[in-house]
Amino acid sequence: MSRSMSRRLFLARSSAVTAATAATAGLTAAPVRATAPSLRMPNVPVRKEVLDDPTEATLAEAATLIRAGKLTSVELTEAYLARIRAYETAYQAFVTVLAEQALAAAKKADQRPGGPLSGIPLTVKDNFFTAGVRTTANSFIFDQFVPDHDATAVARLTAAGAIVLGKGQMGPLATTRATTPDGRITTVNAWAPTNPAVDPGGSSTGPATSVAARLAASSIGTQTGGSIVQPSNQQNLTGLKPTMGRASIYGIIPLSFTRDHPGPLARDAMDAAIMLSVMAGPDPRDPRTLGLPRVPDLIQAATPVRRGDEVRLRHRARIGVPTDYLSTSNTQVLALRRQFLATLEKIPGVRLVDVAYPADWGLLTGTFNDARLAERTEPFRPFLQKDLTLFGVSLLSWLGGLMLSGDEWITAQRAKTHLLREVLDGMLKDCDMVLQTGPVPFDILGLPEIGFPIGFNASGVPVGTILGGGPYEEEALLEVVAAYQAVTDWHWRRPADPPRTTVAARRAPARIDPVTAAETSA
């Protein structure tokens, strides 16, 4: 399908998606049975440090070793569980660790290998339904909720052989960094475990920390306002938010039906490509996924093209650099962005071009973005009428949604459509993808974006950047990031383990009920 056709299709579907999702939001039928996808899994070179410690492996490296009979799923799972036992009190990355269940699945995978992800342990954000496993979205509302079926994304991953190692901590109802529902910090940045004030990114905080801290091979999260790319930037990961509809949201506790996206938080571009290849595709339980262009070969896109010692792009890419990309007042970030651009520009096939924002950019990406508050309020209205204390620290944003009138929401949707045209027919007119200083606007428009590391600040905390593309163009983003990662080593670096004093001192905050939380904060 041509790029112009993809854009027309996306514009048409963006206008219709609100009605479609509202019409199907109440469906409770279990998803169709997932089957293992047929993927051409890569046999990647395995680094020496992986042979010494399998938790150092990327997903692709671990899968390569398992297929070659040089590593068992039990060995890999036990290695991750050993690190969880040793360091989870410091990181607090998990709501639930499924140790016995994971080991049983690993033994089964070793006895009867099957699927491209056979025997690979993953972290699942705690707003994805997991059959028979408590799914809380880190809220008082769902504190005792145990679904009877898996979310489509989880079902597809496990059908491909993956093992759910645990449920990852998250911001309350997917709004902020991970805290308790009443606002006490839980999960920390794996690169600064002794300092909870260092931002780990949210709301997919636990999935990010678990992968960065080598507690799991990879993870899945959700993004409505930056919650995949931002934790990835903060923790030296590669996070891919796909185009709206590329992966199903069925079985995910909602934040915004027109903006929720599931996607991987992975160690590099190849791992992100493998994960999304399994998750993506049509799902009759999510109308956003139907009638889209086919899922391309993302694994091939994430495989760097080499000619001798030279890495080059498979397809030429014009990468837009907006006017504010090099105008940050943070001198360390500015230096890293300049270094990144210099490295990127040396890759054959890359051409950097200047792009400008439209005159009404601030209004379209700022004021009108408040329309999302009404969308998050709508499915939770019965809980707001029942008991305000159930919303804990995130109550004000839900109340804010009640203040928006119907005509204001419609005006905001018209502004969103105008913004989409400004991006597709303006910013992307003379380039194929655009560098971003934050997740907006590709985030709110349902366009694909990928966050990846470009270095570290003076304190040793990762710094990342975000690249956004046109609808259904995940493969183009992966190709550029894979080429960049082939000529740099930021993504290979791992944080030091937390000191014993931190492990001993940190304890997960005690869970309290919503009434006590409200009284304590009053």
Side-chain angles (χ1 to χ4, degrees), residues 40 51 65 129 139 183 226 258 273 299 301 325 342 364 388 397 415 520:
R40 179 191 56 80
L51 301 177
L65 289 174
F129 284 23
S139 71
T258 66
I299 294 174
Y325 193 73
L364 292 172
L388 293 179
S397 63
T520 302

Side-chain angles (χ1 to χ4, degrees), residues 488-499:
T488 58
D489 68 352
W490 306 119
H491 60 292
W492 293 126
R493 304 189 188 188
R494 308 285 184 256
D497 295 334

Side-chain angles (χ1 to χ4, degrees), residues 319-328 334 337-338 341 353-359 361 427 434-437:
I319 300 175
V321 182
T323 51
D324 65 345
Y325 193 73
L326 294 178
S327 63
T328 176
L334 179 60
R337 286 181 180 172
R338 283 177 171 160
L341 291 176
V353 298
D354 294 330
V355 295
Y357 296 125
W361 186 257
M427 294 185 73
V434 178
L435 287 165
Q436 301 166 239
T437 57

Side-chain angles (χ1 to χ4, degrees), residues 479-505:
E479 183 177 341
V480 170
V481 176
Y484 173 73
Q485 291 181 340
V487 298
T488 58
D489 68 352
W490 306 119
H491 60 292
W492 293 126
R493 304 189 188 188
R494 308 285 184 256
D497 295 334
R500 293 182 181 275
T501 52
T502 301
V503 175

Side-chain angles (χ1 to χ4, degrees), residues 387-474:
D387 186 356
L388 293 179
T389 65
L390 292 173
F391 290 83
V393 72
S394 58
L395 173 63
L396 288 181
S397 63
W398 264 264
L399 291 179
L402 291 174
M403 303 299 110
L404 286 172
S405 64
D407 61 321
E408 287 176 314
W409 187 85
I410 291 172
T411 300
Q413 299 313 304
R414 292 170 59 194
K416 182 178 175 181
T417 300
H418 176 64
L419 175 61
L420 181 57
R421 289 188 177 276
E422 292 272 23
V423 170
L424 296 183
D425 299 333
M427 294 185 73
L428 289 174
K429 179 182 179 181
D430 298 316
C431 63
D432 303 302
M433 55 195 73
V434 178
L435 287 165
Q436 301 166 239
T437 57
V440 174
F442 288 76
D443 174 285
I444 62 178
L445 295 175
L447 298 173
E449 60 183 6
I450 188 168
F452 56 100
I454 61 170
F456 296 83
N457 66 20
S459 301
V461 176
V463 174
T465 197
I466 303 170
L467 191 61
Y472 319 115
E473 294 180 1
E474 292 85 1

Side-chain angles (χ1 to χ4, degrees), residues 179-214:
T179 68
T180 58
D182 56 307
R184 291 169 292 158
I185 289 175
T186 52
T187 313
V188 295
N189 190 315
W191 291 86
T194 61
N195 185 2
V198 174
D199 184 13
S203 64
S204 303
T205 316
T209 297
S210 69
V211 178
R214 294 165 32 228

